[in-house]
Amino acid sequence: MSSTTAPATQLADATGPAPVLSARHISKRFGGVQALDDVSLDLIPGEVHCLAGENGCGKSTLIKMISGAERPDSGEIEVDGIVHTRMNTTSAIQSGIQVIYQDFSLFGNLTVAENIVLTSAVAAKRKLYRVKDAREKAQAIVDELQLDLDLNADVENLSVADRQLTAICRALVSDARVIIMDEPTTALTHSEVEHLFTVVERLRARGVALVFVSHKLQEVLAISQRLTIMRSGRVVISGPSADFDRRSIARHMTGSDVEESRRVPDFDQTATPALEVRGLTLPGAFRDVSFQVGKGEILGVTGLLGSGRTELAESVFGVLPAKSGTIAIDGKPVRVRNIQDAVAAGIGYVPEDRLTQGLFLEKPIADNIIAASFNEHRNRWKLLDRKRIWGTITHFFDQLKIHAPHPNRAVRTLSGGNAQRVVLAKWLATDPKVLILNGPTVGVDVGSKAQILDLLRIQAERGMAVVIISDDVNELVACCHRVLVVAHGQITHELVADQVTEDSIQESMAV
Amino acid sequence: MKTEQAQPQAAENSLAAMNNRIGRVVTEAVGRTLRDRGVSRMLIALVVAFGFFAIMRPRIFLGPINLQNIMVAAPEVGVIAIAMMLAMLTGGIDLSLVSIANLSAVTMSTLFTAMAASNPAFGESMTVPIILIGLVVGAACGLLNGLLISLVGITPILATLATMQILNGLAVVWTGGKTLYGAPAALTTFGKTAIGPVPMLFIVFVLVAIVIATVVRSTALGRKLELQGANPVAARFSGIPSRSVLISSYTIGGLLAGLAGVLFLCRNPTASADYGASYVLLVIVIAVLGGTNPNGGFATVAGVVLATLTLQVVASGFTALRLSPYQYSIAQGVILVVVMILDTIQWSRPKWRKRGVTTDSASLQTTQVGTIKKDKEQE
């Protein structure tokens, strides 16, 4: 075990204000896996405590213990001096512990005000519901946090950022003193993240203890006062955030130094481009967009949410067919009227929303890998060739190092990084000429992220044209030959070779 | 194991090698089928039900007439249940199947009567075309369902409810609500024929089951059906042509219902608009008992076949015990609820126990992965 000092650092900080919640010596086993091994955590009012670690390190399990969704094998949780050996979800909420999950668990068909108030009304077993009371209560919270939220809007029409704010307000209505946020920034743009951080500051001023579970190292450092890093079910290190930098966090998370520097493979710039887009227009989303991607080139596309970058990718892939303009693959014009046209032309698309658009969660990994290439695995009687299918599955299962006991496992059981590799495998199995990836490393841990980018470099070296649409500036710098910046449905900047730096991308996005 | 040891010696003898390969494919297919929960639990249910009635009324229940009756009555319900399974596999449902079957039977009976009126021999000689027309009527109705669901975008339950009403109404108006008598004698004879103790009707049922199982497991269409049912959005993003997949699924379902209409005529040379009214919901019960997930994405033909037989065994057992059809309908409901409860109990068991079980059943294929890996290393 590499972390011998962990418990010592943990206890050394007990001199400050009394923690609102302390988890002590929590252990939990799932079958043969020790998910948590003697983990302790103190949450102090007014502090943001960041919980970092790779997928499967046990941070989600720890949160489940604290929120009462699972119960520990041993250990205890103390809230306000009351010791619980096991929590259930109701007692956790009554103790003021609120978890905001990635999907926010909101009701899309209800208004913001209703979403904010209803759950606490239900928890208090109130039989009647008065619109006026509810509004007043919701308004009070929104005013206190100085938010610009339309209380009458239906939640399904809100942006991701506003939904998150709604979830935060809901937590506060139930008088939350501990708010745990799971990956709060992954779906937000740069400016939205900054707004969230100002809200977080106000929450701190209110004396709320916050827990951020995050993969994004930069944000971890920017927002948190205290940092706990977990690996393989144990706390590796815990201490004030000021003591860490990005490098050291990555090292503690992975247990080794992670290569994050820019590394782009060479490609033949004179060859016919694999993908050439001319004058592509989709009214309301983007207009007159032209660009090309060479064989073996990795092209980055970035821009704020709503800039039209996702719609652009979906047009090329046939989800939202463009109204005008041309698309050519290997110099030959193709008509993309629907997704089947795009797939037939040799375009693959790793969608933004992995869980609903990319994966068949209840189906085995094997079925997911083969999902886009059934037609290529038929024998002369038009029946599926089981042996060849199994060969393809095991090939990608091994090549992409999908970490699972067996390809027969349901994808639902996989972590973010592994699930993304399954989506990637699905498209590699079709042997595409152009692979478009929308947010390839969203919700993926640092180690997996580096491996996924490496996989993309390898595919590029083999002659595939790769398009990465991403918010993550590091990732673009790490592997893109060229970066296009999209704003208001048009390409505003093109950064080539040495121009691709974090600063230049940030700068051109800000305009 | 034996087949594998025998392999080197059989290498020279191609026939033996062929046998060997077929043997292995069958063993693998049977193993895969038994690993499915729907199949194994219905196998147990079938054995339990059969054992129970065999002990209660051995004289009547185990008599050759009763066993034959089970095998003669099961096919028509079973074929419709398989059609229902196909619809449910895509996450839909098809309420119109029985109406389609009746319309097909009514069409065939009317055609035959018209042809045989002038010249009975001519009517008989047209048996095969008449059957084909019956099947085409079924497929056409299924196609209509498919178009309404995929192109127009009506929810399956509403679209097929509408076609159920329309087709049933058509049949009633056409027949004037009366029962039609008349079917080619060849069909009736076929319905009474048996190979040894096994009636031809049952053999047809088994053949249909094998064909549909092959379609589901071993064709691109079948796997796409499954994925379409498991997650329509992801299916779309994987380039699976949802529309044509749905149309195919409902058309095949309609074709099977048309075949069920033929089976109706094989059992009795009569056709009416309201035959088998109780089948509409019964086939849903059968499909779900057979392990079909009503939300789509998961189903096995073997499970549905076993569920059909189980319910048929219970039905004839109730007759043997002199219980009424109403008591049988209570039993159907109870069986469904009990199986669903058993299901939830299994789901909420501690995870590790379930894991242990799956690892066991998966170990066979794990060794396969191992060998493939080795092969690669050698390259």
Side-chain angles (χ1 to χ4, degrees):
Chain A
M1 185 56 221
S2 52
S3 71
T4 45
T5 55
T9 39
Q10 191 77 46
L11 297 175
D13 295 321
T15 47
V20 55
L21 182 149
S22 331
R24 289 191 213 108
H25 310 298
I26 306 272
S27 293
K28 176 76 182 176
R29 255 184 112 76
F30 289 113
V33 183
Q34 187 78 42
L36 288 178
D37 187 4
D38 194 27
V39 170
S40 298
L41 187 74
D42 284 324
L43 303 181
I44 293 159
E47 266 195 9
V48 178
H49 194 126
C50 204
L51 198 55
E54 298 206 292
N55 284 323
C57 70
K59 52 189 200 299
S60 321
T61 316
L62 180 61
I63 288 172
K64 282 181 184 156
M65 301 293 159
I66 295 174
S67 67
E70 297 261 9
R71 56 185 235 243
D73 294 338
S74 63
E76 56 183 30
I77 295 167
E78 183 182 325
V79 188
D80 280 338
I82 303 165
V83 177
H84 304 256
T85 47
R86 51 179 285 206
M87 289 267 207
N88 59 38
T89 40
T90 322
S91 69
I93 290 170
Q94 278 165 358
S95 316
I97 300 166
Q98 288 276 340
V99 184
I100 300 176
Y101 290 103
Q102 266 172 295
D103 62 357
F104 310 135
S105 317
L106 296 170
F107 298 97
N109 53 341
L110 300 182
T111 64
V112 171
E114 286 165 342
N115 265 293
I116 292 176
V117 177
L118 263 184
T119 39
S120 65
V122 171
K125 300 214 168 96
R126 290 252 297 281
K127 301 279 186 301
L128 294 174
Y129 168 78
R130 283 181 54 193
V131 177
K132 192 162 155 276
D133 286 359
R135 264 199 68 93
E136 277 171 10
K137 231 169 147 184
Q139 190 68 52
I141 299 285
V142 169
D143 288 346
E144 188 189 331
L145 293 182
Q146 301 161 36
L147 299 178
D148 181 25
L149 259 182
D150 178 5
L151 288 175
N152 294 320
D154 282 345
V155 162
E156 60 196 356
N157 301 329
L158 293 186
S159 69
V160 178
D162 283 348
R163 283 183 207 192
Q164 185 176 52
L165 295 176
T166 308
I168 293 175
C169 291
R170 182 181 57 186
L172 288 182
V173 164
S174 324
D175 234 357
R177 282 166 316 135
V178 176
I179 297 182
I180 301 169
M181 301 177 84
D182 191 9
E183 296 290 347
T185 59
T186 42
L188 304 186
T189 60
H190 203 65
S191 56
E192 285 169 339
V193 169
E194 273 169 17
H195 186 231
L196 173 67
F197 284 0
T198 59
V199 174
V200 165
E201 288 303 318
R202 288 181 201 130
L203 291 174
R204 282 184 56 203
R206 211 174 185 261
V208 174
L210 288 117
V211 179
F212 261 48
V213 180
S214 184
H215 288 123
K216 294 198 176 178
L217 306 185
Q218 218 156 9
E219 288 160 11
V220 166
L221 287 173
I223 191 70
S224 65
Q225 284 75 48
R226 199 166 295 272
L227 178 64
T228 295
I229 299 176
M230 293 181 67
R231 192 170 71 229
S232 313
R234 296 180 200 223
V235 171
V236 181
I237 192 166
S238 181
S241 303
D243 297 353
F244 294 89
D245 60 20
R246 259 174 58 183
R247 226 183 150 68
S248 66
I249 297 176
R251 196 176 57 239
H252 286 300
M253 275 167 73
T254 58
S256 62
D257 274 314
V258 178
E259 190 61 53
E260 222 193 22
S261 59
R262 182 173 165 78
R263 204 149 49 76
V264 291
D266 289 332
F267 77 100
D268 180 9
Q269 307 210 6
T270 57
T272 326
L275 170 70
E276 189 164 14
V277 171
R278 286 273 158 265
L280 212 62
T281 301
L282 182 68
F286 55 86
R287 59 188 183 283
D288 199 21
V289 172
S290 303
F291 65 93
Q292 59 178 44
V293 196
K295 291 189 183 75
E297 186 182 20
I298 303 180
L299 175 72
V301 177
T302 188
L304 298 175
L305 217 64
S307 60
R309 48 170 211 199
T310 295
E311 289 82 353
L312 181 60
E314 294 194 337
S315 273
V316 175
F317 187 60
V319 183
L320 306 163
K323 280 279 169 299
S324 60
T326 60
I327 297 171
I329 300 289
D330 281 348
K332 289 187 211 82
V334 288
R335 276 189 71 187
V336 178
R337 290 156 304 181
N338 52 41
I339 297 176
Q340 289 92 271
D341 284 350
V343 175
I347 305 173
Y349 178 58
V350 176
E352 196 175 15
D353 187 343
R354 185 159 57 226
L355 299 183
T356 60
Q357 298 174 335
L359 292 166
F360 304 89
L361 288 178
E362 304 302 322
K363 284 282 176 191
I365 298 165
D367 287 13
N368 274 278
I369 292 178
I370 213 73
S373 53
F374 285 125
N375 293 354
E376 287 77 39
H377 287 88
R378 290 188 292 196
N379 59 22
R380 62 200 135 117
W381 296 296
K382 292 283 179 191
L383 292 179
L384 294 176
D385 187 337
R386 232 172 255 290
K387 218 179 209 169
R388 239 173 66 219
I389 287 182
W390 194 247
T392 306
I393 290 166
T394 44
H395 171 71
F396 287 109
F397 192 77
D398 294 348
Q399 193 202 344
L400 302 197
K401 299 191 182 67
I402 296 168
H403 188 75
H406 194 271
N408 279 353
R409 280 302 157 82
V411 166
R412 182 173 34 82
T413 60
L414 297 183
S415 64
N418 281 307
Q420 186 67 309
R421 280 176 235 209
V422 174
V423 185
L424 211 54
K426 173 174 82 179
W427 288 112
L428 294 184
T430 67
D431 195 17
K433 298 186 176 98
V434 181
L435 184 62
I436 306 171
L437 305 102
N438 200 343
T441 62
V442 169
V444 169
D445 57 68
V446 185
S448 282
K449 180 175 159 181
Q451 286 171 0
I452 286 176
L453 296 185
D454 258 344
L455 282 169
L456 297 178
R457 289 190 189 103
I458 291 168
Q459 294 306 325
E461 273 170 2
R462 290 181 185 166
M464 192 183 290
V466 179
V467 181
I468 298 177
I469 298 161
S470 179
D471 273 337
D472 188 333
V473 175
N474 288 320
E475 164 180 313
L476 295 172
V477 173
C479 69
C480 292
H481 294 98
R482 234 172 358 123
V483 173
L484 303 177
V485 181
V486 182
H488 307 298
Q490 284 185 310
I491 295 173
T492 52
H493 294 80
E494 179 174 3
L495 307 169
V496 186
D498 292 343
Q499 296 171 342
V500 180
T501 63
E502 287 184 28
D503 293 339
S504 67
I505 295 175
Q506 296 279 21
E507 231 168 76
S508 47
M509 272 172 75
V511 182
Chain B
M1 286 312 286
K2 260 185 190 169
T3 49
E4 276 182 33
Q5 283 170 357
Q7 214 172 5
Q9 296 161 357
E12 290 169 21
N13 189 337
S14 66
L15 197 72
M18 184 80 165
N19 271 338
N20 217 331
R21 235 178 73 193
I22 292 172
R24 239 183 311 150
V25 167
V26 169
T27 323
E28 196 191 312
V30 169
R32 199 172 48 236
T33 315
L34 283 182
R35 247 177 269 135
D36 186 271
R37 279 158 30 84
V39 176
S40 46
R41 85 177 172 205
M42 274 337 281
L43 198 60
I44 294 167
L46 179 58
V47 170
V48 168
F50 196 89
F52 175 76
F53 292 112
I55 292 166
M56 293 295 286
R57 284 279 185 287
R59 276 275 178 77
I60 308 172
F61 188 78
L62 289 180
I65 298 174
N66 187 53
L67 294 184
Q68 287 244 339
N69 272 344
I70 293 175
M71 286 195 279
V72 169
E76 54 184 48
V77 188
V79 168
I80 302 178
I82 290 175
M84 179 61 83
M85 179 218 82
L86 276 181
M88 290 174 93
L89 186 57
T90 62
I93 197 165
D94 192 343
L95 299 176
S96 66
L97 290 167
V98 176
S99 301
I100 296 177
N102 280 326
L103 188 66
S104 143
V106 166
T107 310
M108 287 184 286
S109 181
T110 316
L111 273 177
F112 173 75
T113 315
M115 288 172 179
S118 50
N119 181 357
F122 175 65
E124 280 304 326
S125 68
M126 293 302 281
T127 304
V128 173
I130 286 175
I131 291 177
L132 289 180
I133 289 171
L135 296 180
V136 168
V137 167
C141 295
L143 178 65
L144 175 67
N145 280 332
L147 292 174
L148 288 177
I149 290 162
S150 68
L151 286 188
V152 186
I154 307 175
T155 321
I157 193 168
L158 295 179
T160 58
L161 182 65
T163 52
M164 174 182 95
Q165 302 278 36
I166 293 169
L167 300 176
N168 191 43
L170 264 179
V172 172
V173 171
W174 190 356
T175 60
K178 283 175 276 187
T179 304
L180 303 181
Y181 294 88
L187 283 184
T188 328
T189 320
F190 183 80
K192 293 205 173 76
T193 325
I195 296 181
V198 186
M200 286 305 287
L201 290 181
F202 193 74
I203 292 174
V204 170
F205 176 39
V206 171
L207 286 179
V208 166
I210 290 173
V211 169
I212 299 298
T214 311
V215 169
V216 171
R217 290 297 309 167
S218 302
T219 66
L221 172 67
R223 307 303 305 277
K224 286 174 184 172
L225 280 177
E226 249 178 32
L227 293 181
Q228 169 73 23
N231 182 352
V233 178
R236 194 164 93 91
F237 275 86
S238 303
I240 292 174
S242 303
R243 280 181 181 175
S244 65
V245 159
L246 284 176
I247 290 175
S248 316
S249 151
Y250 283 93
T251 309
I252 296 174
L255 183 69
L256 289 177
L259 179 65
V262 177
L263 296 179
F264 288 175
L265 288 182
C266 289
R267 270 185 81 195
N268 286 306
T270 61
S272 76
D274 54 2
Y275 181 79
S278 65
Y279 288 176
V280 181
L281 298 179
L282 176 62
V283 290
I284 299 179
V285 174
I286 293 176
V288 175
L289 281 180
T292 309
N293 185 336
N295 298 322
F298 298 85
T300 59
V301 176
V304 174
V305 170
L306 289 172
T308 309
L309 292 178
T310 307
L311 284 189
Q312 205 58 53
V313 162
V314 173
S316 70
F318 269 48
T319 319
L321 291 176
R322 296 182 197 287
L323 294 170
S324 74
Y326 305 106
Q327 283 157 323
Y328 169 54
S329 114
I330 296 175
Q332 277 176 24
V334 170
I335 293 174
L336 184 62
V337 170
V338 167
V339 168
M340 294 300 115
I341 290 173
L342 289 178
D343 239 21
T344 51
I345 291 172
Q346 278 191 334
W347 280 121
S348 56
R349 259 189 203 166
K351 275 177 191 159
W352 58 268
R353 209 180 290 177
K354 232 170 60 196
R355 245 178 232 167
V357 173
T358 38
T359 335
D360 261 6
S361 59
S363 59
L364 213 162
Q365 294 212 337
T366 319
T367 51
Q368 219 173 330
V369 184
T371 49
I372 288 170
K373 272 183 192 163
K374 257 183 231 157
D375 288 352
K376 245 185 254 159
E377 280 166 12
Q378 282 170 2
E379 278 172 20

